Amino acid sequence: GSCMVEVAKVSGNKEICKLLNEEYDQNQCFKGVATAIMDASVCDEITTGSTFEKLRSTKDECFREIAIVKEDKVLCEQVKNADVKNWCLASFDDSGELCKKIEDATFRLDCQVGIAIKTQDLSICESIVSLSKKDECFEGVAIAMKDKEICEEILDEYSKDSWTFEIEY
């Protein structure tokens, strides 16, 4: 499955996705192709029938990701899930205020991490309660700013070492 998905992405060919048997794989494939070729119409190929899709809509994620890459806020309007829509719109507002409206805790944290990285604002990372997300936030900002000192803020020793290693010049 994943091999076909990768081929579909690099060739930008959504027809390959239709050869996959599992709905989940097909959807991930369509999302991959859509983001690879920056074509939001491919997001419409994503089906929303399965239980997994009711919990986390790949179609919404697809529109959100393309909106961010294309810097096209209008695409956020295609997102049906309110949390994902706020997360999408938050990407266009550096204040992070819209992240606070997100009810889903994981989405809310991912939204905050995204704003922190975009604005290179460590104070947002400081305010994150979840330790793993806090680390992910520091990590993202460290990479965005190419600053290995920030890696010192990372609490998980293992990831600290591997990240410091990657930013060393």
Side-chain angles (χ1 to χ4, degrees):
S2 69
C3 175
M4 275 202 186
V5 173
E6 291 309 313
V7 172
K9 279 200 256 189
V10 292
S11 61
N13 183 352
K14 68 178 184 186
E15 295 308 313
I16 297 173
C17 302
K18 294 173 183 170
L19 304 172
L20 296 161
N21 298 324
E22 295 293 319
E23 182 191 39
Y24 173 79
D25 294 335
Q26 274 192 6
N27 285 348
Q28 292 304 313
C29 183
F30 285 132
K31 186 175 91 160
V33 171
T35 13
I37 63 173
M38 309 258 177
D39 182 353
S41 72
V42 180
C43 298
D44 285 319
E45 300 275 348
I46 295 172
T47 52
T48 52
S50 70
T51 323
F52 175 84
E53 289 300 339
K54 285 185 178 59
L55 292 169
R56 186 183 184 116
S57 171
T58 309
K59 184 179 270 193
D60 284 347
E61 281 289 300
C62 185
F63 284 122
R64 185 187 73 80
E65 287 177 23
I66 293 182
I68 292 168
V69 184
K70 286 183 102 168
E71 297 185 350
D72 182 358
K73 194 176 177 176
V74 179
L75 287 171
C76 297
E77 297 307 321
Q78 306 262 20
V79 176
K80 298 210 171 16
N81 177 300
D83 282 348
V84 182
K85 181 177 278 189
N86 279 327
W87 182 9
C88 186
L89 293 167
S91 312
F92 296 90
D93 168 27
D94 293 346
S95 73
E97 282 305 303
L98 280 165
C99 296
K100 293 175 184 164
K101 289 185 174 175
I102 299 173
E103 286 174 28
D104 181 285
T106 312
F107 287 161
R108 187 169 57 244
L109 287 167
D110 285 340
C111 181
Q112 290 171 318
V113 170
I115 299 289
I117 293 170
K118 186 180 171 203
T119 58
Q120 302 187 351
D121 182 350
L122 287 171
S123 68
I124 297 175
C125 301
E126 303 280 356
S127 70
I128 292 174
V129 188
S130 153
L131 293 181
S132 63
K133 282 292 171 193
K134 189 187 280 262
D135 282 357
E136 189 184 309
C137 188
F138 281 127
E139 209 168 271
V141 177
I143 293 167
M145 296 175 76
K146 299 184 178 65
D147 182 351
K148 62 182 172 35
E149 299 302 311
I150 299 169
C151 299
E152 297 302 318
E153 303 284 338
I154 295 175
L155 304 168
D156 174 356
E157 290 301 320
Y158 169 75
S159 63
K160 181 190 289 185
D161 290 342
S162 63
W163 282 104
T164 311
F165 172 73
E166 287 204 9
I167 301 178
E168 287 284 347
Y169 293 126

